[in-house]
Amino acid sequence: MKFVRRFVWYIAGRLLIICCILGVMTTAFYFAMNAANIQIILKDGMAKRAQVVMMGESESALTSYFSSAYISRDPLLAQARNGESVYQNHYSITGIDHRISMDWVWCWPWEDTARATMQESIPRIDGKVKSASRDDVEAMGLTSAPPRWQSCEYDVLLSRENGRWIIKNMTVTEIINE
């Protein structure tokens, strides 16, 4: 009887260890999957946001990445919407080199919210002054090359809705002067 009891406890102990290891591996897998999805949403969403501000693309494409509440209160999108974007008014932008770097991301597999910290920059903007705006650009003290995009560090709040991540809020935590 003593032998059977020891054998059962041995098997139970090993099963507990195996279950703990499998639990940690499953949690790590879902964390990595969510972090990868969040990075893709941030990269594509921020690039699309810059294209809307600079190139005048449709805001409707942003609903795949941002909540409608955030789109309505984003100051850069509001400038573009109101016709106050320097890029759209005076320059013809043909391309951008958009970059983000993720500093930190945290999302528990069982929660539907996540936080991330990232830095956005656009080191190169391809474009030229519109011929009708040459005098205005000179009067404003701008050059023939489009003005630099303000690089910033953001604290981002994301939410999972209907199985996909969207950006609910972004707060500028630091303006990066390059």
Side-chain angles (χ1 to χ4, degrees):
M1 190 65 161
K2 191 175 183 181
F3 174 75
V4 173
R5 188 175 32 158
R6 282 186 184 170
F7 180 70
V8 168
W9 277 111
Y10 175 80
I11 297 296
R14 296 305 179 251
L15 282 175
L16 179 66
I17 291 170
I18 290 171
C19 286
C20 289
I21 290 171
L22 288 175
V24 168
M25 288 173 52
T26 302
T27 302
F29 170 76
Y30 279 106
F31 180 85
M33 183 178 68
N34 286 336
N37 287 336
I38 288 169
Q39 183 166 2
I40 290 169
I41 289 294
L42 288 175
K43 171 99 175 91
D44 294 348
M46 295 300 284
K48 185 58 76 177
R49 176 178 170 254
Q51 290 171 351
V52 168
V53 170
M54 291 183 183
M55 298 178 192
E57 292 189 10
S58 173
E59 274 190 33
S60 62
L62 292 176
T63 57
S64 298
Y65 308 104
F66 295 91
S67 69
S68 57
Y70 180 76
I71 291 172
S72 65
R73 70 176 184 271
D74 184 345
L76 286 176
L77 293 173
Q79 284 180 348
R81 195 178 310 117
N82 297 333
E84 300 169 1
S85 173
V86 173
Y87 299 101
Q88 289 180 30
N89 293 341
H90 303 295
Y91 295 92
S92 176
I93 308 295
T94 57
I96 60 173
D97 179 17
H98 185 267
R99 298 179 185 182
I100 69 162
S101 65
M102 296 286 295
D103 292 339
W104 181 80
V105 64
W106 193 260
C107 55
W108 287 111
W110 51 85
E111 288 186 1
D112 289 334
T113 59
R115 289 203 168 273
T117 303
M118 64 159 202
Q119 293 180 352
E120 177 195 32
S121 65
I122 301 178
R124 194 182 82 244
I125 302 170
D126 298 330
K128 60 183 179 179
V129 175
K130 293 179 180 176
S131 58
S133 298
R134 288 194 194 281
D135 295 334
D136 294 338
V137 167
E138 289 176 10
M140 292 169 54
L142 298 173
T143 62
S144 61
R148 294 186 58 81
W149 182 265
Q150 182 62 61
S151 298
C152 295
E153 180 177 275
Y154 294 97
D155 184 30
V156 183
L157 176 66
L158 297 103
S159 175
R160 185 174 22 215
E161 295 179 1
N162 299 325
R164 64 186 182 97
W165 290 100
I166 62 168
I167 300 168
K168 291 292 244 186
N169 193 27
M170 290 191 326
T171 308
V172 175
T173 56
E174 181 182 351
I175 295 175
I176 302 168
N177 295 320
E178 297 173 17

